[in-house]
């Protein structure tokens, strides 16, 4: 079907408006960024700041060591993420299961989520990193890597479990009734019908938590793990310059930006689905 002249005119108008908006956005962005750059570079203390934080020679010298150490941050993130999901799913399911016999366990997991959501992650890292080895009990891990994983799992497991629980509770009761009507048990309904929908619904906030997790792996430098931040600290203590911190920050930014953009994409897609777009 051939579009009418009026329809073609609407399409041309929308294209012109999109181009105009894009041009305005580009120009305004360049003006703002250029103004900020000019303000910073013309400030009286800029030469000293540039030498201390943005020295190219120092950056080249510390880059290989920071890059090698950042691989430890990536491994910490990947391993902790798996354990966090396992703990969070278990805690979320226990809190929503309508079983009176599980009341003591429900109380324990409720205390767990309240305590660890209210405790700063760095304090959890200190308590686990220094407290667990001090117990001297056989079988407890002594590796700083696994102590760090345990600390991050305890802290983020509480946050993620609440996100998942909110997703499970948000599923309409008819979904539960449909599963039971098909002859599925409570556990089968949870596994095959409710939990997949809940995970999809809360995927954006889950990914936001994991963006924070990637950054918080740097907190493990406080217990002696030689990751990217720790290497930057050692370099700063040796050279009395802070370019290493900037290099480490760039690695974290580069690692988290793709995940953050993917989170934005999922959020927009979820809104479009809800609005029927």
């Amino acid at each position: 079907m051939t579009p009418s002249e009026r329809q073609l005119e609407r399409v041309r108008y929308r294209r012109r408006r999109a181009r105009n908006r894009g041009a305005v956005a580009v120009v305004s962005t360049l003006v703002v960024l250029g103004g900020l750059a000019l303000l910073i570079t013309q400030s009286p203390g800029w030469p000293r700041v540039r030498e201390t934080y943005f020295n190219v020679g120092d950056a080249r010298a510390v880059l290989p060591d920071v890059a090698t150490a950042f691989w430890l941050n990536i491994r910490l993130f990947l391993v902790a993420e798996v354990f966090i999901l396992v703990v969070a799913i278990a805690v979320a399911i226990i809190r929503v299961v309508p079983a009176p016999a599980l009341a003591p366990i429900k109380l324990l997991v409720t205390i767990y989520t309240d305590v660890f959501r209210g405790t700063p992650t760095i304090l959890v890292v200190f308590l686990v990193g220094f407290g667990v080895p001090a117990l001297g009990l056989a079988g407890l891990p002594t590796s700083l890597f696994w102590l760090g994983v345990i600390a991050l799992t305890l802290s983020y497991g509480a946050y993620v479990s609440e996100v998942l629980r909110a997703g499970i509770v948000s599923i309409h009761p008819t979904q539960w009734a449909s599963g039971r009507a098909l002859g599925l048990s409570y556990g089968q309904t949870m596994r095959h019908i409710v939990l997949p929908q809940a995970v999809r619904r809360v995927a954006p906030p889950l990914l936001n938590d994991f963006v924070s997790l990637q950054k918080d792996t740097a907190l493990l430098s406080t217990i002696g793990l030689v990751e990217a931040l720790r290497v930057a600290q050692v370099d700063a203590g040796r050279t009395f310059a802070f370019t290493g911190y900037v290099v480490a920050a760039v690695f974290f930014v580069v690692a988290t930006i793709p995940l953050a953009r993917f989170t934005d994409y999922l959020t927009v897609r979820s809104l479009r689905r809800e609005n029927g777009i």
Side-chain angles (χ1 to χ4, degrees):
M1 181 177 178
T2 305
S4 65
E5 184 61 31
R6 183 181 294 273
Q7 185 176 358
L8 292 174
E9 180 60 29
R10 288 198 189 109
V11 171
R12 288 192 290 268
Y13 169 74
R14 289 171 183 167
R15 289 176 178 173
R16 287 196 303 269
R17 186 176 63 176
R19 288 195 298 268
N20 291 337
R21 288 182 174 180
V24 171
V26 170
V27 172
S28 61
T29 300
L30 292 176
V31 169
V32 171
L33 292 180
L36 288 175
L38 185 64
L39 177 65
I40 292 173
T41 56
Q42 295 302 313
S43 60
W46 169 244
R48 184 173 182 179
V49 170
R50 181 182 57 191
E51 182 64 24
T52 304
Y53 290 93
F54 303 100
N55 187 286
V56 177
D58 291 342
R60 289 175 179 173
V62 77
L63 178 62
D65 293 335
V66 173
T68 302
F70 188 71
W71 173 237
L72 178 60
N73 293 87
I74 298 296
R75 286 187 287 138
L76 285 165
F77 167 72
L78 295 176
V79 174
E81 182 179 8
V82 174
F83 285 102
I84 288 168
L85 285 174
V86 172
V87 170
I89 291 173
V91 170
I93 291 176
I94 290 172
R95 293 197 66 183
V96 300
V97 170
L102 291 178
I105 300 178
K106 283 175 173 287
L107 177 61
L108 289 175
V109 297
T110 301
I111 294 173
Y112 158 71
T113 55
D114 289 344
V115 169
F116 282 95
R117 281 196 305 158
T119 305
T121 302
I122 192 168
L123 292 183
V124 178
V125 171
F126 280 135
L127 291 172
V128 174
F130 298 124
V132 171
L135 294 174
L137 297 176
L140 291 179
T142 57
S143 166
L144 292 179
F145 179 90
W146 289 109
L147 290 173
V149 168
I150 292 172
L152 293 176
T153 301
L154 289 173
S155 183
Y156 275 87
Y159 290 104
V160 175
S161 68
E162 285 299 282
V163 174
L164 288 172
R165 186 171 73 93
I168 293 172
V169 172
S170 70
I171 301 301
H172 199 274
T174 56
Q175 298 296 309
W176 292 94
S178 299
R180 304 310 294 269
L182 292 172
L184 300 178
S185 65
Y186 183 90
Q188 290 172 328
T189 304
M190 172 68 78
R191 176 184 175 188
H192 297 291
I193 297 178
V194 175
L195 193 58
Q197 295 183 68
V199 171
R200 285 196 297 270
R201 183 166 293 184
V202 299
L206 275 179
L207 289 174
N208 274 326
D209 283 338
F210 288 134
V211 169
S212 297
L213 172 64
Q214 170 62 45
K215 296 183 295 182
D216 280 351
T217 56
L219 296 176
L220 301 182
S221 64
T222 57
I223 61 174
L225 267 175
V226 185
E227 44 72 64
L229 178 60
R230 184 60 178 168
V231 169
Q233 288 175 332
V234 172
D235 180 74
R238 180 176 56 84
T239 63
F240 300 100
F242 302 113
T243 303
Y245 288 117
V246 177
V247 173
V250 169
F251 275 96
F252 280 103
V253 170
V254 170
T256 55
I257 281 180
L259 189 56
R261 295 289 73 78
F262 184 60
T263 301
D264 293 341
Y265 164 75
L266 291 180
T267 302
V268 172
R269 190 179 70 169
S270 177
L271 291 174
R272 287 177 175 174
R273 284 182 175 180
E274 291 179 2
N275 297 325
I277 300 176

